[in-house]
Amino acid sequence: MIFGRKRNDDIDDDDEDEEELELVLFQGAVNGVEANLAENAKLVQVGLVRAKELVSDGMGRRAEMIRIDQKGNAAISTFFIDGVPYPAGKMPAQAGNAITQMLKLLAGLDVRERTKPQSGGINAEFEEKKYKLLVDTFPEKTGGERLIVRVIDPKEKLERPEEIGLSEGIRRMVRDYSSEKNGVIIAAGPPMSGTSTTALGLMRCVDAYMYGIFDIARTVKRELSHVTDFKWLEGDDLDATLMRIKRQDADVAVIDPIVSSEIAKPAFDKASTLSIISEMAARDAADAIVRLVAFVGNPKLVADQLKLVVSQKLIRMLCTKCKQAFRPNPKLLQKVNLPPETKVLYRVPRPIELEDGEIEEPEFCEHCNGIGYRGRIALMEEIHMTPGIAELILAGKDAAAIRQQARKEGMQSFQNDALRIVAEGKTTLEELQRAFRQPAS
């Protein structure tokens, strides 16, 4: 069933010429469970319009995530636009709960269950475009539930390595390592930093016509051409499944995210005869290596089988419609290690002082809604296995030592990739300061 209406409650009768704002259309749960509206008539009455207005407001402002947190007698809504949180309003706790339960109902979730996390999705349409709204709820210790809605545009797929931001050097390493048909390649990063997308990009670096690629991941589902979607047998573990695909002449295996020893150990044990591609949560590439050693419990096995770790950090891109050019001070270039021949950089629009002393304010930009940034781009770093890195792993050194060695050996770091993007006019020095000040998850 499709739900939708015009939001005309706030339009005065005297202003009939004002354009009505059309709300999001909810078009059924992703899991196929049909919402029983008659049985939940009271919830529909108090929650449907509120849910539609909140989601429409967020999508209209380009929010990729909408969150509601219960805070005592109030519920706080937040929009995340290009990864930055913006306050979206405060409402009574009952209203926040009504929105949460309504979206759970539409996502095919159990509205009676409020003590366990739940995940689902809603097919939706907004401004004549199709979307998927991924709905997650988590019980709060203080009572109630936290609601997270992620807005997914199916047409905005980043699949090709160059689209994701993988440099030619990283792409070449993945091709070379996968051609050896052994070893482990990892995409690593904090939650919601694009790690799954990076893992997909790494897999896309492998020549699917020359090598047999098997996708055996169960928790991260992808639509992949020229890749075998391998089904697990009931009762099989990862070790048994890797043995089965090897008997079918697999060269490369894409596995579930490494979140425990139960995944890490068999992956590294079988990596002598298979090239393994996976992902994991970590602060950066060096932190991922330390975590892998802890999961596997065998530093030598990690040093022998780990080929490459690629980590990413998402930063906002300058709005292409309103970004403002300026001539940088030579001292600034020297301070941030940009080439002295850099003639122009770009920034968010600022007021301009005219010759007569008047201040000219920049025009409001509808393309970015006056923020100055629109969209995000990934900074990439990599650490590949060398004798120097292997020596540190075997010695049990920490992430800081591994990070320092990687820089000493000239491996691509967040810092040098960030300066490249600044020099290309894609972002600002201020945005880099903001992104690198944030604590990693």
Side-chain angles (χ1 to χ4, degrees):
M1 180 176 289
I2 298 175
F3 310 96
R5 64 187 286 275
K6 299 280 188 179
R7 188 174 71 186
N8 51 23
D9 302 354
D10 300 328
I11 298 177
D12 295 333
D13 294 336
D14 297 335
D15 193 8
E16 295 180 357
D17 294 333
E18 184 176 346
E19 184 180 353
E20 293 180 341
L21 176 64
E22 189 169 354
L23 300 185
V24 63
L25 301 174
F26 295 134
Q27 300 180 319
V30 172
N31 63 9
V33 175
E34 186 172 348
N36 190 331
L37 301 186
E39 190 176 290
N40 295 275
K42 186 175 180 180
L43 173 60
V44 172
Q45 182 180 6
V46 298
L48 179 58
V49 173
R50 285 189 172 105
K52 291 170 69 64
E53 289 179 343
L54 179 69
V55 172
S56 299
D57 189 20
M59 295 178 74
R61 292 171 59 181
R62 297 191 302 106
E64 72 271 4
M65 189 174 84
I66 301 165
R67 191 178 74 196
I68 295 181
D69 296 287
Q70 300 289 339
K71 303 290 184 183
N73 295 324
I76 309 298
S77 57
T78 306
F79 294 156
F80 289 78
I81 303 172
D82 294 329
V84 177
Y86 293 88
K90 184 177 180 180
M91 67 191 86
Q94 295 88 338
N97 181 60
I99 292 172
T100 298
Q101 301 311 316
M102 189 69 236
L103 291 175
K104 284 170 61 178
L105 178 66
L106 296 173
L109 304 180
D110 185 356
V111 296
R112 296 180 298 274
E113 176 57 70
R114 304 187 185 185
T115 62
K116 297 178 182 178
Q118 295 191 68
S119 297
I122 305 171
N123 295 308
E125 182 177 327
F126 182 68
E127 296 182 345
E128 300 182 350
K129 288 182 63 177
K130 299 290 186 181
Y131 293 87
K132 289 190 186 297
L133 307 178
L134 305 184
V135 177
D136 293 278
T137 59
F138 307 88
E140 299 270 25
K141 293 181 179 179
T142 56
E145 294 174 280
R146 166 182 279 192
L147 169 74
I148 293 178
V149 179
R150 294 181 177 89
V151 181
I152 307 298
D153 183 350
K155 291 187 177 181
E156 292 186 0
K157 289 184 177 181
L158 295 176
E159 293 186 350
R160 295 199 299 271
E162 59 273 19
E163 292 175 336
I164 294 167
L166 295 173
S167 67
E168 175 54 36
I170 292 177
R171 301 200 296 265
R172 185 171 56 253
M173 276 191 283
V174 175
R175 289 195 297 267
D176 292 344
Y177 290 142
S178 60
S179 69
E180 298 172 1
K181 303 180 183 180
N182 61 60
V184 178
I185 298 172
I186 298 288
M192 295 182 62
S193 67
T195 307
S196 294
T197 301
T198 300
L200 177 59
L202 294 174
M203 190 278 298
R204 288 293 189 195
C205 293
V206 182
D207 190 334
Y209 293 99
M210 291 188 63
Y211 303 103
I213 306 175
F214 283 64
D215 182 11
I216 64 172
R218 294 184 294 183
T219 59
V220 181
K221 302 310 293 180
R222 309 171 177 90
E223 295 180 6
L224 305 172
S225 58
H226 310 296
V227 174
T228 302
D229 185 11
F230 195 76
K231 305 301 182 185
W232 287 50
L233 293 179
E234 186 176 352
D236 271 4
D237 56 12
L238 179 58
D239 188 78
T241 303
L242 289 171
M243 290 178 65
R244 286 180 59 218
I245 67 169
K246 185 59 185 173
R247 287 196 293 267
Q248 297 191 25
D249 295 326
D251 301 311
V252 179
V254 182
I255 70 170
D256 281 320
I258 296 178
V259 296
S260 65
S261 297
E262 286 70 23
I263 299 176
K265 287 181 178 179
F268 275 81
D269 283 341
K270 293 294 183 290
S272 59
T273 57
L274 270 174
S275 183
I276 305 287
I277 296 178
S278 186
E279 62 185 88
M280 64 182 298
R283 180 180 179 182
D284 57 18
D287 181 47
I289 292 174
V290 173
R291 295 187 185 211
L292 284 170
V293 172
F295 281 148
V296 176
N298 184 339
K300 187 176 188 307
L301 184 59
V302 174
D304 287 344
Q305 300 299 345
L306 184 62
K307 300 285 189 178
L308 172 69
V309 181
V310 177
S311 186
Q312 71 292 317
K313 180 184 287 287
L314 295 175
I315 61 167
R316 294 182 296 174
M317 290 193 296
L318 275 165
C319 175
T320 57
K321 302 293 184 182
C322 68
K323 67 180 183 179
Q324 191 179 78
F326 71 98
R327 187 177 296 276
N329 187 303
K331 290 184 179 179
L332 173 64
L333 298 176
Q334 184 179 14
K335 182 178 179 181
V336 299
N337 293 321
L338 279 170
E341 61 271 16
T342 303
K343 300 299 182 184
V344 63
L345 294 177
Y346 291 85
R347 64 191 176 198
V348 171
R350 297 179 182 177
I352 299 174
E353 184 175 353
L354 304 178
E355 292 182 0
D356 58 5
E358 292 290 323
I359 301 297
E360 181 181 24
E361 295 290 338
E363 292 185 10
F364 180 81
C365 179
E366 294 186 357
H367 187 63
C368 65
N369 204 25
I371 295 174
Y373 297 93
R374 183 183 173 103
R376 290 191 285 178
I377 191 171
L379 304 179
M380 294 286 178
E381 73 165 10
E382 62 86 8
I383 297 180
H384 58 271
M385 192 57 60
T386 64
I389 298 294
E391 183 179 343
L392 295 178
I393 292 174
L394 295 173
K397 297 297 184 179
D398 61 11
I402 295 173
R403 199 176 296 118
Q404 183 179 7
Q405 180 67 24
R407 291 175 182 171
K408 181 180 177 182
E409 297 188 29
M411 299 182 195
Q412 181 173 314
S413 69
F414 284 141
Q415 286 73 15
N416 54 38
D417 200 32
L419 292 178
R420 173 185 63 82
I421 292 173
V422 168
E424 292 175 354
K426 294 178 180 177
T427 194
T428 66
L429 293 170
E430 292 79 8
E431 169 62 8
L432 296 184
Q433 291 175 335
R434 182 200 66 82
F436 283 98
R437 273 200 311 266
Q438 289 182 333
S441 300

